Amino acid sequence: MAKTKFTFKNYLKELKKSWLLLAIFVILGAAGGAFYAFRKPVQYTATAKVLVNNASVDNAGMASPYSSISELLSSKDLIKETNPDLGDISEYEVIEAPRGVFQVTATDTDSEHAKEVANAVINSTQYVINYAFDNAADYRVTTINEAESTSATVSTKSRIISIVIAAAAMFVLAAVVVFIKFDYSSEK
């Protein structure tokens, strides 16, 4: 039996002959991707913004004079102190956008609780400032927007993308297996 020559055209013929192996790998990849995509819990994200301004603070420096406020707002203990009826505080993140504007992003499995946490954090801003600063009367806190809606972190589109990526990865893996087999059995 003559060995086939090692060319790209012959490799494509070998891939065509191994269609069943490729199909099995793609189906396994799609099944694994679907298992991963649909087991992932749906999380909801709520966003709220608050503005903190202090007219007596020098804003000319490179660093924001309000950077410590984001650290203080990130303290779950301080937020819990001002909102004892809030219950369990889910994960949230406080990011200072431009100077003095703080964006609070809360993530939870319950949409309403995510909004509740984001709003509780921005509503606690004045308390946190009173707690931490001697010159708290100089700070003016303005709510820019409260969390009124949430967005799901997992959508049908992202689930389909996960399935397609897993199936494509398994297709590539099968093509590599066929290539290795073709490499060993072909004439160079």
Side-chain angles (χ1 to χ4, degrees), residues 11 15 22 169-182:
Y11 170 64
L15 274 178
L22 294 172
M170 289 301 282
F171 176 80
V172 169
L173 181 64
V176 168
V177 168
V178 171
F179 179 79
I180 291 170
K181 179 183 159 215
F182 176 67

Side-chain angles (χ1 to χ4, degrees), residues 9 14 16 18 23 27-28 44-45 49 56 65 78-79 93-94 96 100 124 126 130 140 147 149 151-152 154 171 177:
K9 185 177 179 181
E14 191 68 30
K16 196 173 182 180
S18 302
I27 290 170
L28 288 174
Y44 296 95
T45 303
K49 286 185 182 177
S56 63
L78 283 174
I79 303 304
E93 180 181 33
V94 180
E96 184 180 7
S124 300
Q126 187 64 55
N130 292 342
R140 193 175 85 224
S149 63
S151 60
V154 177
F171 176 80
V177 168

Side-chain angles (χ1 to χ4, degrees), residues 54-131:
N54 185 343
S56 63
V57 172
D58 179 23
N59 284 321
M62 290 291 288
S64 171
Y66 305 109
S67 60
S68 60
I69 295 174
S70 62
E71 292 299 320
L72 291 167
L73 287 175
S74 296
S75 170
K76 287 186 179 183
D77 293 334
L78 283 174
I79 303 304
K80 188 74 170 165
E81 214 172 286
T82 59
N83 303 288
D85 58 329
L86 186 60
D88 184 36
I89 297 178
S90 59
E91 291 300 314
Y92 69 92
E93 180 181 33
V94 180
I95 298 174
E96 184 180 7
R99 293 173 181 252
V101 177
F102 297 93
Q103 179 174 310
V104 178
T105 305
T107 305
D108 199 335
T109 55
D110 179 26
S111 174
E112 290 302 314
H113 194 256
K115 289 190 284 188
E116 207 176 292
V117 169
N119 290 332
V121 173
I122 65 166
N123 293 335
S124 300
T125 305
Q126 187 64 55
Y127 172 80
V128 168
I129 290 171
N130 292 342
Y131 178 83

Side-chain angles (χ1 to χ4, degrees), residues 23-35 162-171:
I24 290 171
F25 270 64
V26 167
I27 290 170
L28 288 174
F35 178 76
S162 295
I163 294 168
V164 168
I165 288 173
M170 289 301 282
F171 176 80

Side-chain angles (χ1 to χ4, degrees), residues 132-172:
F133 298 114
D134 293 335
N135 61 344
D138 295 341
Y139 287 88
R140 193 175 85 224
V141 176
T142 307
T143 300
I144 296 174
N145 67 324
E146 290 188 339
E148 296 173 355
S149 63
T150 58
S151 60
T153 57
V154 177
S155 65
T156 304
K157 181 180 178 182
S158 66
R159 286 180 172 159
I160 290 172
I161 289 172
S162 295
I163 294 168
V164 168
I165 288 173
M170 289 301 282
F171 176 80
V172 169

